[in-house]
Amino acid sequence: MRISARADYAVRAVLELAVRQGTEPVKAEAIAAVQDIPHKFLEGILGDLRRGGIVDSRRGGGGGYRLARDASAITVADVIRTVDGPIVSVRGERPTGLEYTGSAQPLLPLWIALRANVRKILEGVTIADIAGDALPEPVQRLAAEPAAWENP
């Protein structure tokens, strides 16, 4: 599984809005500068996030972006799906839409299990968890495993 630059930037932008929640709307330029995200690229991402109901925007001098709902109600999976579509796909298709025959048949349950595990983690972590530096215990345990930090 690969996390696209678009998904990474989207999560970082939403996180930036979460830590500034309760203040005035945040301009895209400010998010781009603080998170080192190309401004033009970020504008497109913020548009997708607005259409997806993750952020709201306001025009004008006091305008900018803010979260459309509380950070505790937005999962990392929500953000990634909004900007990139399905979280796990095989050749651009959802695993449930695939069919294999012969010796390849055992691949389908493998892809389904992979999707289930990725979803379990990304749907179990909210933007508020990250903003509060409080990742859920199962995620902390996985990240603490020495092998998790090694590149095979």
Side-chain angles (χ1 to χ4, degrees):
M1 178 187 169
R2 295 176 197 250
I3 304 294
S4 70
R6 187 171 187 77
D8 177 55
Y9 291 164
V11 172
R12 289 167 45 199
V14 171
L15 179 59
E16 190 63 31
L17 292 173
V19 298
R20 296 177 184 219
Q21 203 165 10
T23 64
E24 295 182 12
V26 183
K27 297 207 178 297
E29 295 86 358
I31 298 168
V34 170
Q35 290 296 325
D36 195 27
I37 299 171
H39 179 255
K40 283 289 195 193
F41 196 28
L42 179 61
E43 285 285 354
I45 291 168
L46 289 168
D48 287 346
L49 292 170
R50 185 182 49 74
R51 285 184 290 281
I54 304 288
V55 303
D56 285 328
S57 63
R58 186 168 49 174
R59 295 178 186 247
Y65 295 88
R66 63 175 51 176
L67 296 181
R69 55 188 192 266
D70 193 76
S72 64
I74 303 170
T75 68
V76 174
D78 295 333
V79 176
I80 293 173
R81 283 186 187 113
T82 299
V83 298
D84 270 355
I87 291 176
V88 174
S89 64
V90 179
R91 300 184 327 261
E93 292 185 48
R94 293 172 192 244
T96 52
L98 299 173
E99 285 187 38
Y100 291 104
T101 59
S103 61
Q105 280 184 322
L107 278 176
L108 186 56
L110 174 66
W111 299 150
I112 298 294
L114 172 68
R115 179 177 80 156
N117 274 324
V118 171
R119 285 172 58 176
K120 187 175 188 178
I121 291 172
L122 296 179
E123 291 173 352
V125 178
T126 68
I127 297 301
D129 293 333
I130 301 168
D133 194 15
L135 291 175
E137 181 58 35
V139 176
Q140 289 182 35
R141 272 197 317 273
L142 284 170
E145 291 179 14
W149 294 86
E150 296 174 7
N151 292 324

